[in-house]
Amino acid sequence: MASKTPRTDGRTEHCEHCGRETVHDVRVEVRTENEQAEYAANSREPYRVVTCRECGRETSQRMNDA
């Protein structure tokens, strides 16, 4: 589970790559899921994008699936 750490401006979360709790940068991006679709402008979804500050690994999850 994510927790706000008092000594940094990031979030502490488990990193699958590092195998431990590390500080992460978290942001939300709106992504177009199907660029080829006739209504591509209407097929945008919010994604939670997390980057580990230790190893640089980036993961994303569609927020509707969270």
Side-chain angles (χ1 to χ4, degrees):
M1 183 153 180
S3 63
K4 187 75 173 166
T5 57
R7 64 185 182 282
T8 68
D9 60 349
R11 297 188 63 84
T12 302
E13 298 188 14
H14 181 78
C15 177
E16 292 292 328
H17 188 255
C18 294
R20 59 189 169 87
E21 296 287 315
T22 58
V23 178
H24 289 71
D25 293 319
V26 180
R27 67 185 185 278
V28 175
E29 289 182 2
V30 177
R31 296 182 177 176
T32 302
E33 294 190 323
N34 187 355
E35 299 273 343
Q36 313 308 320
E38 180 179 349
Y39 300 103
N42 297 323
S43 69
R44 296 183 306 238
E45 294 290 337
Y47 279 77
R48 182 179 188 268
V49 182
V50 181
T51 305
C52 177
R53 288 189 185 175
E54 295 292 319
C55 69
R57 175 76 50 106
E58 182 176 284
T59 57
S60 63
Q61 181 179 15
R62 185 176 176 194
M63 292 181 68
N64 293 349
D65 296 340

